[in-house]
Amino acid sequence: MGKNGYLPLFETKPAGGLVFFRSYAASIFIGICFICFHRVSYFPVTERWVWVGMFVAELWFSFYFFITVIVKWNPVFRSTFKDRLSSRFEEEELPGVDIFVCTADPRLEPPTMVVSTVLSVMAYDYPPHKLSVYLSDDGCSDLTFYALLEASGFAQLWLPFCRKLKVEPTSPEAYFQTTPEPVDDVFMANEWLIIKKSYEDMKNRIESITSLGKVPAYRRKEHNGFDEWDFVLSPHHHPSILQILIDGRDPNAIDIEGKALPTLVYLAREKRPQIHHNFKAGALNALAFDNLTENEIYGSLRVLMKLELAGFDGNGGPCYVGTGCVHRRESLSGMKYSEELAVELKAMKYDKKIIGSASFNEEDCKALASCTYEENTPWGKEKGVKYESLVEDVLTGMSIQSKGWRSVFFNPQREAFLGMGPTTLLDTLVQHKRWGEGELQILLSKHCPFVYGRPNMPLKLQLSYCIYNLWAPNCFATLYYVFVPSFCLFRGISLFPKISSSWGIPYLYVIFVHRVHSLVEYVWLGGTVRGWLNEQRMWMFKRTTSYLFAAIDHMLKLFGFSKSAFAITGKVADDDVHRRYEQEIMEFGTWSPMFTVLATLALFNLLGLIAVVTNNVAIGDARMKIFDVFGFQILLCYVLVFINLPIYQGMFFRKDSGKMPASVTLQSVAFALLASTLTIY
């Protein structure tokens, strides 16, 4: 029982097994100390700069490990008792909730997927007159508007159906894909089939018009909102478009059972070529992926979403990661948190009565969506979503925390929010390139957590942000470790202690125990062993390409050679790509400098391994001596070759359209042969 006489609405529990984690972290720290002592004590007379480079890389890995330990040191998990909510609050006391669904390009984010998301949030178990759903369309597409118009009609059937059957998940696309027809009740089975057919008919109409690329004239006559597109010159040059498709205040806005419907609004912000629009939409749909394969071929955010954010919570509050987040309006409006404000908020009455018709409010609100409305105002700087980063979500969350607001992490057993992840390797790498660059941009700006976060963010939370802020700089130490040991194999330079030496023990311990812990952690969070292997592969791919290009691009921008550009990752693929994705076959298929880097590194390590094996065969009796001296480098080379197996398959063995392009293969072979030749001579 709480202080106010009510049962608590939630509880907070620390993670289990913290003693084991902290013991593991302490043992790794001791191992790192031994490694550092060895590097300093056994400084070579020749080739010292290569040795120094290895030491610096290992110091970087150690520092980053220290950051991850801080994040995972004290994770907390929360559970709610939503059945107690009605006993504490009357319906009219509940706050109004505005839900924003963002989209940016109907070619990459299919309108059927977008409206399925909209329908899922409209079906929330919440008083409909307290609920408003906004679709923010940064692509200003009449195809998306048409799809939303269709969804507004289908909602009259879908919402009563969800209430009656207590539908989970409330996305019709996800529901009909995962839920079989009820067979115990003939009446309900018949209704289930009717609703499913209605949804499929709507979906077919939307997909048919989307494939045409335009809304036919007879469809445009169905709603005067299409007249707004007469003034649209392009997706980057158009006036504000705001259409209230369902007005929750209208007594006629009801479903087939006569129950009120939530408000539904379409919005496309004004855009003009000469005015920067700050990429406000499109970045909010990326996390909690719904279309991951069983073994997550392109990696996942499993550890981030299920453990690291809980660690942030234990350190002062999770960062805002762009999706699945609920904000208090006051926190977004730039207000600083204080005890006085807390008292005012508790006493606040939530009354959503608005005077005026829907058409009046449409015209009145269009001015707020103009591209010049924010000029000479705090919006985008001190209020709302921040504009000064490619990862505006993280920056916005940091700004809110710096004003004294506290965030908490809640991860229910059934995922509260689901999205669509990239289905090709290139889309995944491009997505992480954008994230890595945005995080580095924050670190090297006035918004650095150690400056921006004081005094309301504790030091451990400021350090926690570095686990993402340092994504891009991670590329340099990783590249060194991927390239230099193989380079030194060609030259006969040993970079590690002998296998037979006692100094090899701390290296073996740190490598083995660290990886075993990573595997156990991943499986504990619901992953598979093969999924963990894919995660390790993508860890290396991202560090040697995405984060490398992110670091280079940001340096160029700092010196004024280029400007920020927002890249949207595809959420739809053709049938062949989708089939290969479902079969967990890595997709290449197109030229990219990222693929050239990956393939060159893969071939260089393969050539290094071949050179070692050839020498061992030729020398014969000296094989064990060579392995004793170069054992760690040989094992590292074997691991890198194993990780790159999909690269070799894509270059030399696959015949499908998703194979590595011949141009990439030729370039990579030439670069790898040139590099290996230079190392020998």
Side-chain angles (χ1 to χ4, degrees):
M1 192 72 69
K3 294 180 181 179
N4 53 10
Y6 291 103
L7 292 171
L9 296 177
F10 69 94
E11 67 175 356
T12 304
K13 293 181 178 180
L18 289 179
V19 173
F20 296 102
F21 172 76
R22 293 171 181 176
S23 299
Y24 146 79
S27 69
I28 293 292
F29 175 75
I30 294 171
I32 289 172
C33 290
F34 277 106
I35 290 173
C36 293
F37 185 79
H38 170 260
R39 287 291 183 193
V40 173
S41 301
Y42 289 81
F43 204 78
V45 177
T46 60
E47 313 295 349
R48 62 177 56 191
W49 292 113
V50 179
W51 187 272
V52 169
M54 293 295 291
F55 185 33
V56 170
E58 287 159 359
L59 286 176
W60 176 265
F61 292 143
S62 301
F63 170 70
Y64 196 75
F65 171 75
F66 169 71
I67 297 296
T68 62
V69 167
I70 290 176
V71 172
K72 299 176 183 179
W73 191 256
N74 187 37
V76 295
F77 296 94
R78 303 175 189 274
S79 56
T80 60
F81 308 104
K82 61 181 181 181
D83 55 303
R84 299 174 182 174
L85 190 64
S86 58
S87 65
R88 182 179 297 192
F89 298 104
E90 297 294 333
E91 185 175 288
E92 291 305 315
E93 294 181 279
L94 296 175
V97 175
D98 296 325
I99 300 176
F100 297 88
V101 178
C102 298
T103 186
D105 190 332
R107 296 167 299 176
L108 299 177
E109 299 166 321
T112 52
M113 181 193 76
V114 174
V115 297
S116 191
T117 302
V118 169
L119 287 165
S120 72
V121 296
M122 290 181 70
Y124 279 171
D125 183 13
Y126 203 75
H129 65 286
K130 297 274 188 176
L131 186 63
S132 298
V133 182
Y134 300 82
L135 177 63
S136 175
D137 180 14
D138 233 27
C140 190
S141 170
D142 56 349
L143 301 175
T144 303
F145 177 72
Y146 169 75
L148 192 65
L149 184 62
E150 286 276 7
S152 67
F154 180 70
Q156 299 176 37
L157 301 174
W158 180 243
L159 270 60
F161 180 73
C162 289
R163 288 195 300 268
K164 189 178 298 182
L165 268 68
K166 299 188 183 303
V167 165
E168 294 290 352
T170 53
S171 161
E173 181 69 18
Y175 175 76
F176 289 120
Q177 282 183 355
T178 58
T179 308
E181 174 188 345
V183 293
D184 298 334
D185 188 323
V186 176
F187 177 78
M188 291 307 302
N190 183 57
E191 185 171 0
W192 190 92
L193 291 171
I194 291 173
I195 299 297
K196 182 180 181 182
K197 184 179 185 304
S198 298
Y199 173 68
E200 289 176 344
D201 289 345
M202 179 194 73
K203 182 179 176 181
N204 289 335
R205 290 193 299 270
I206 294 173
E207 289 180 343
S208 175
I209 287 179
T210 301
S211 64
L212 287 175
K214 64 177 181 179
V215 180
Y218 74 93
R219 289 289 187 189
R220 295 173 69 92
K221 294 178 181 178
E222 295 176 358
H223 195 281
N224 57 15
F226 287 107
D227 295 341
E228 300 278 1
W229 272 265
D230 293 339
F231 305 98
V232 174
L233 300 180
S234 76
H236 307 289
H237 193 182
H238 60 82
S240 304
I241 298 178
L242 188 145
Q243 292 289 313
I244 302 176
L245 298 180
I246 300 177
D247 186 356
R249 300 160 297 157
D250 187 346
N252 296 319
I254 55 176
D255 59 31
I256 58 172
E257 293 183 347
K259 300 290 181 66
L261 291 169
T263 296
L264 180 62
V265 179
Y266 172 91
L267 172 66
R269 298 179 297 121
E270 180 187 18
K271 286 186 184 177
R272 300 300 176 193
Q274 68 275 16
I275 299 176
H276 198 279
H277 65 277
N278 297 300
F279 312 118
K280 284 198 293 187
L284 309 182
N285 303 321
L287 301 184
F289 302 145
D290 180 40
N291 61 332
L292 294 177
T293 59
E294 179 183 358
N295 297 304
E296 300 167 340
I297 184 173
Y298 299 124
S300 71
L301 299 171
R302 180 179 300 278
V303 176
L304 185 154
M305 295 298 293
K306 294 190 175 184
L307 182 58
E308 290 176 357
L309 289 183
F312 267 73
D313 198 352
N315 288 342
C319 57
Y320 172 35
V321 291
T323 192
C325 186
V326 178
H327 294 283
R328 292 200 71 124
R329 186 180 296 273
E330 293 81 10
S331 69
L332 280 173
S333 67
M335 298 176 67
K336 291 185 177 181
Y337 182 83
S338 65
E339 293 299 327
E340 293 78 12
L341 178 62
V343 173
E344 292 179 14
L345 293 177
K346 287 181 179 179
M348 185 180 293
K349 298 294 184 181
Y350 294 94
D351 189 357
K352 288 190 64 177
K353 292 181 180 178
I354 300 176
I355 300 174
S357 65
S359 59
F360 172 81
N361 286 315
E362 281 181 2
E363 294 302 318
D364 195 41
C365 292
K366 280 183 181 179
L368 304 180
S370 69
C371 57
T372 57
Y373 173 77
E374 300 141 335
E375 288 185 358
N376 301 317
T377 73
W379 287 102
K381 301 179 183 68
E382 298 298 326
K383 293 184 178 182
V385 178
K386 301 300 178 288
Y387 296 155
E388 299 175 12
S389 174
L390 288 172
V391 285
E392 68 276 15
D393 47 2
V394 177
L395 182 57
T396 299
M398 194 185 303
S399 173
I400 291 172
Q401 290 174 324
S402 70
K403 290 181 171 65
W405 294 92
R406 173 73 189 276
S407 59
V408 296
F409 177 65
F410 176 56
N411 185 28
Q413 289 185 345
R414 184 184 67 82
E415 289 86 351
F417 301 91
L418 295 173
M420 299 288 284
T423 56
T424 69
L425 177 60
L426 184 59
D427 278 345
T428 304
L429 296 178
V430 168
Q431 184 180 68
H432 278 270
K433 185 259 181 188
R434 184 182 79 233
W435 290 348
E437 185 179 352
E439 294 285 355
L440 181 60
Q441 185 182 36
I442 290 175
L443 182 67
L444 299 182
S445 71
K446 64 182 180 181
H447 300 117
C448 173
F450 300 106
V451 177
Y452 200 47
R454 295 185 299 166
N456 289 314
M457 288 169 57
L459 178 60
K460 58 185 178 180
L461 181 57
Q462 297 171 31
L463 287 168
S464 297
Y465 270 98
C466 291
I467 197 174
Y468 308 132
N469 292 156
L470 295 175
W471 269 348
N474 270 327
C475 69
F476 302 112
T478 306
L479 276 169
Y480 196 91
Y481 241 75
V482 168
F483 180 79
V484 172
S486 294
F487 170 88
C488 290
L489 273 179
F490 280 106
R491 301 294 296 269
I493 302 171
S494 176
L495 298 177
F496 298 93
K498 293 180 179 180
I499 294 292
S500 59
S501 169
S502 58
W503 283 110
I505 295 175
Y507 286 88
L508 284 172
Y509 180 84
V510 169
I511 294 169
F512 179 76
V513 174
H514 187 265
R515 289 301 87 201
V516 168
H517 172 267
S518 172
L519 172 60
V520 171
E521 178 182 79
Y522 193 85
V523 173
W524 174 64
L525 293 172
T528 64
V529 174
R530 190 175 172 188
W532 174 79
L533 290 172
N534 288 330
E535 185 75 13
Q536 307 312 297
R537 177 178 293 116
M538 289 306 302
W539 176 91
M540 193 190 77
F541 284 5
K542 289 181 293 189
R543 287 190 174 202
T544 54
T545 57
S546 301
Y547 301 152
L548 172 64
F549 283 89
I552 293 173
D553 275 9
H554 188 63
M555 292 301 110
L556 291 175
K557 285 163 190 169
L558 284 180
F559 293 106
F561 292 109
S562 63
K563 295 182 179 179
S564 297
F566 190 90
I568 305 165
T569 49
K571 307 297 190 301
V572 65
D574 63 39
D575 292 339
D576 287 340
V577 172
H578 182 73
R579 175 178 52 79
R580 287 191 290 270
Y581 178 68
E582 291 295 324
Q583 295 173 349
E584 298 191 336
I585 300 173
M586 192 162 279
E587 186 73 23
F588 302 103
T590 186
W591 182 89
S592 169
M594 292 188 182
F595 290 165
T596 303
V597 172
L598 285 178
T600 300
L601 291 172
L603 287 173
F604 185 74
N605 280 282
L606 179 62
L607 291 173
L609 187 60
I610 291 173
V612 170
V613 172
T614 303
N615 284 337
N616 281 350
V617 172
I619 296 172
D621 294 338
R623 185 179 304 170
M624 289 307 298
K625 183 178 179 181
I626 291 177
F627 183 75
D628 186 34
V629 175
F630 296 99
F632 281 103
Q633 282 163 263
I634 295 171
L635 289 174
L636 177 59
C637 205
Y638 267 110
V639 170
L640 292 173
V641 168
F642 174 76
I643 285 176
N644 284 304
L645 284 178
I647 301 287
Y648 307 132
Q649 293 170 353
M651 295 174 72
F652 303 118
F653 301 107
R654 286 172 53 182
K655 304 298 181 184
D656 56 81
S657 59
K659 67 180 181 180
M660 189 74 79
S663 58
V664 174
T665 301
L666 291 174
Q667 289 175 351
S668 303
V669 169
F671 290 147
L673 288 174
L674 177 62
S676 58
T677 302
L678 291 175
T679 59
I680 296 173
Y681 299 103

